[in-house]
Amino acid sequence: TSLDQTIPTATISISTGTPIDGVSTSNLVGKSTSLTITVTFSKEISGITLNSLTVVPSSSTASATIQSYSTLTLLKKFSYVINISGNTKFSFYFPANSVNDLAGNKNSISNIIYYTLDTRSPVGTIKSSPSIALSNISPITLTFTFDENVYNPNFVNSFIYNTSTNAATATVRSSSGN
């Protein structure tokens, strides 16, 4: 008989949020204050508890409370419900050596998921070059500046309205930014 020395691995995922870069599911942003984290192990494990998952807010004014956990697939897949508050980034991971497989092997650290809670709308200012009020020159470049990062801004096919006539006076043809 061979001795099982294979270390169990854990992969975590989150059910909500938008990828910050439009692609990655490990760095998300959203408005949800109640999150479901799923932890899937490579093999059956024992010793999982409510506090096995690590949650770290990046601000001392933020908080995270693990409300519950449940088994989704016998001894391999688990679900955590977590309530968070405070507009900040949170990291979630399953630390090494927190559970055992049925042969007694301790787990390795899982992947890390980052979730930025953002419940506040950004405040923006607009500047033009040349000045819109003093010019009939076309095209005019508008610069939008926000007080926080904005994700996936898309001003293409937006319209600028004359508030006195409620009519479109310009169309945005392209946008760029960082």
Side-chain angles (χ1 to χ4, degrees):
T1 316
S2 66
L3 182 62
D4 178 2
Q5 295 182 342
T6 305
I7 296 171
T9 59
T11 303
I12 64 170
S13 60
I14 191 169
S15 63
T16 189
T18 301
I20 287 178
D21 63 3
V23 180
S24 173
T25 57
S26 64
N27 197 4
L28 306 165
V29 63
K31 295 177 184 270
S32 181
T33 58
S34 180
L35 307 175
T36 300
I37 303 286
T38 302
V39 182
T40 305
F41 288 91
S42 59
K43 56 199 299 194
E44 293 181 343
I45 58 97
S46 64
I48 194 167
T49 68
L50 184 68
N51 296 318
S52 294
L53 181 73
T54 298
V55 182
V56 180
S58 63
S59 165
S60 62
T61 60
S63 69
T65 305
I66 300 175
Q67 295 297 310
S68 64
Y69 82 99
S70 58
T71 302
L72 300 176
T73 304
L74 185 62
L75 303 178
K76 280 188 81 172
K77 192 172 187 179
F78 303 87
S79 175
Y80 284 85
V81 175
I82 304 162
N83 290 339
I84 59 174
S85 66
N87 285 335
T88 194
K89 182 184 267 189
F90 293 82
S91 53
F92 304 91
Y93 65 95
F94 215 87
N97 304 319
S98 55
V99 296
N100 300 320
D101 67 9
L102 301 182
N105 300 310
K106 299 265 186 203
N107 68 292
S108 61
I109 189 170
S110 73
N111 59 312
I112 300 173
I113 299 285
Y114 299 98
Y115 179 85
T116 300
L117 177 61
D118 186 3
T119 59
R120 188 180 71 77
S121 297
V123 176
T125 57
I126 304 171
K127 292 183 181 176
S128 65
S129 177
S131 172
I132 294 174
L134 304 175
S135 178
N136 61 0
I137 298 172
S138 180
I140 295 174
T141 300
L142 299 177
T143 302
F144 296 79
T145 305
F146 295 94
D147 66 339
E148 65 176 304
N149 290 337
V150 292
Y151 303 98
N152 301 321
N154 187 356
F155 298 109
V156 177
N157 296 324
S158 298
F159 300 96
I160 298 172
Y161 283 88
N162 179 329
T163 56
S164 62
T165 64
N166 202 26
T169 57
T171 304
V172 177
R173 300 275 184 229
S174 66
S175 64
S176 65
N178 47 356

